[in-house]
């Protein structure tokens, strides 16, 4: 006769039986397995060892500055992941998936803008304690940010020529982005699949006008166009928020990478990835 504890134990599958149900794969869950942990999965040892201050003595706010920009780069990586998949979904006719992934991009872009609030808790005096250590590094040199612009449709080969600090791997990445289809080119393929001509800008304007006025037939195409426009608007909002933050922090001083600082950033405020989607508004 078994005790209640023995009966309970007998009802529980052994580790060997669990493995058997997983076709012999050595599966370990949670702390009991003792192999994959939260820290090891996220590589926290390496991740948290990447914030190296240049100031000496250490400036208190330099850690914040480094952390914010590293987080930006992580989000840029995710945005590129989603935008690339969205473009490929458009090219394969999966419009629902393309729109779904762009909505995720929108949410991340709102987060990027909100992060400026954290950076602005640093005063100009605090930034001045270590800013001189940053030269010639500059946010202008963010390769992933340029990839986002290229993939969005604003391809600028001159960036690759002007920036001499690129590694060979970064040059390859940017060259690939310059060659591969953009989100806009993928959207034009969607219009083509819907039966529209897209050879000229007038063709595209006519197609967009038809789509906008017949949303019952072209609902998926219209929603995708709106998702692209939302991406464009949120990117513009981030640029505008960024330039004001820079002006608040350093005024009219030159950028650390040799650019004109806020002046250069202001010159980018009128950038639009999809001008035909914006001009469509005037005819609706």
């Amino acid at each position: 006769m078994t005790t209640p504890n023995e009966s309970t134990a007998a009802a529980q599958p052994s580790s060997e039986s669990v493995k058997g149900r997983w076709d012999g794969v050595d599966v370990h869950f949670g702390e009991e397995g003792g192999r994959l942990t939260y820290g090891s999965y996220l590589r926290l040892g390496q991740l948290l060892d990447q914030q190296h201050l240049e100031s000496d003595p250490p400036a208190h706010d330099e850690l914040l500055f480094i952390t914010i920009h590293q987080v930006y780069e992580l989000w840029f990586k995710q945005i590129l992941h989603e935008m690339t998949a969205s473009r490929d979904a458009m090219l394969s006719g999966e419009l629902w998936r393309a729109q779904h992934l762009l909505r995720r991009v929108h949410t991340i872009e709102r987060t990027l803008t909100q992060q400026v609030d954290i950076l602005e808790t640093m005063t100009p005096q605090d930034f001045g304690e270590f800013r001189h250590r940053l030269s010639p590094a500059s946010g202008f040199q963010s390769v992933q940010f340029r990839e986002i612009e290229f993939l969005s449709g604003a391809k600028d080969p001159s960036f690759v020529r002007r920036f001499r600090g690129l590694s060979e791997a970064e040059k390859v990445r940017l060259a690939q982005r310059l060659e591969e289809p953009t989100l806009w080119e993928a959207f034009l393929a969607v219009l083509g699949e819907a039966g529209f001509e897209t050879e000229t800008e007038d063709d595209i304007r006519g197609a967009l006008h038809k789509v906008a006025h017949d949303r019952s037939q072209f609902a998926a195409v219209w929603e995708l166009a709106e998702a692209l426009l939302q991406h464009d608007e949120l990117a513009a909002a981030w640029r505008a928020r960024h330039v004001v933050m820079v002006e608040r922090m350093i005024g009219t001083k030159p950028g650390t990478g040799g650019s004109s600082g806020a002046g250069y950033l202001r010159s980018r405020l009128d950038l639009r990835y999809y001008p035909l989607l914006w001009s469509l508004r005037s005819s609706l």
Side-chain angles (χ1 to χ4, degrees), residues 41-54:
Y41 179 64
L42 298 178
R43 305 293 194 270
L44 290 184
Q46 298 95 314
L47 178 65
L48 299 178
D49 190 39
Q50 299 306 307
Q51 296 75 44
H52 300 284
L53 277 59
E54 293 290 332

Side-chain angles (χ1 to χ4, degrees), residues 43 91 109 125 134 187 214 236 274:
R43 305 293 194 270
L91 293 174
E109 288 174 323
Q125 299 93 314
L134 305 181
F187 179 69
D214 192 357
Y274 315 116

Side-chain angles (χ1 to χ4, degrees), residues 23-249:
D23 298 325
V25 177
D26 189 7
V27 178
H28 295 269
F29 295 98
E31 296 180 4
E32 184 178 341
R35 290 192 176 183
L36 186 65
T37 66
Y38 176 82
S40 64
Y41 179 64
L42 298 178
R43 305 293 194 270
L44 290 184
Q46 298 95 314
L47 178 65
L48 299 178
D49 190 39
Q50 299 306 307
Q51 296 75 44
H52 300 284
L53 277 59
E54 293 290 332
S55 54
D56 185 21
H60 178 83
D61 280 7
E62 189 177 0
L63 177 61
L64 173 66
F65 187 85
I66 293 172
T67 299
I68 285 287
H69 286 83
Q70 287 183 343
V71 170
Y72 269 127
E73 290 295 330
L74 288 172
W75 281 130
F76 291 165
K77 181 177 182 178
Q78 189 67 37
I79 287 174
L80 286 168
H81 180 64
E82 306 299 352
M83 286 174 55
T84 302
S86 179
R87 178 205 59 197
D88 293 347
M90 279 190 262
L91 293 174
S92 63
E94 297 178 282
L95 304 193
W96 64 270
R97 177 170 172 78
Q99 184 188 345
H100 166 70
L101 296 174
L102 284 175
R103 284 200 301 267
R104 181 176 294 165
V105 170
H106 301 160
T107 303
I108 297 172
E109 288 174 323
R110 292 186 184 96
T111 299
L112 295 180
T113 302
Q114 291 167 353
Q115 283 184 180
V116 175
D117 292 339
I118 305 173
L119 198 55
E120 281 193 335
T121 64
M122 179 174 60
T123 67
Q125 299 93 314
D126 295 332
F127 185 35
E129 289 184 20
F130 62 89
R131 181 176 183 261
H132 63 285
R133 295 277 189 170
L134 305 181
S135 185
S138 168
F140 174 79
Q141 299 164 345
S142 171
V143 172
Q144 289 196 118
F145 185 76
R146 296 300 168 184
E147 286 187 81
I148 291 172
E149 289 193 331
F150 290 1
L151 183 54
S152 295
K155 291 183 177 180
D156 183 5
S158 68
F159 171 79
V160 184
R161 295 193 298 269
R162 292 197 311 269
F163 182 37
R164 299 180 181 178
L166 293 171
S167 68
E168 288 303 315
E170 288 170 336
K171 290 178 183 177
V172 169
R173 279 166 44 196
L174 289 171
Q176 181 178 339
R177 293 295 184 188
L178 288 171
E179 292 295 326
E180 67 186 28
T182 65
L183 284 172
W184 180 246
E185 289 166 336
F187 179 69
L188 293 184
V190 169
L191 287 177
E193 285 296 316
F196 295 106
E197 294 292 331
T198 60
E199 290 297 317
T200 68
E201 285 196 359
D202 285 341
D203 289 337
I204 298 169
R205 288 192 186 96
L208 293 174
H209 196 269
K210 176 67 174 177
V211 167
H213 285 87
D214 192 357
R215 286 176 290 169
S216 60
Q217 182 177 352
F218 301 108
V221 180
W222 170 256
E223 292 300 328
L224 192 53
E226 288 293 278
L228 288 173
L229 194 75
Q230 184 73 63
H231 163 52
D232 202 349
E233 181 179 352
L234 289 168
W238 183 85
R239 287 192 293 269
R241 184 74 178 87
H242 185 216
V243 70
V244 172
M245 180 272 293
V246 170
E247 288 175 334
R248 174 176 174 171
M249 200 66 62

Side-chain angles (χ1 to χ4, degrees), residues 184 201 229 232 272-281:
W184 180 246
E201 285 196 359
L229 194 75
D232 202 349
R272 293 292 181 268
Y273 295 144
Y274 315 116
L276 292 182
L277 292 180
W278 289 102
S279 65
L280 174 67
R281 269 63 194 161

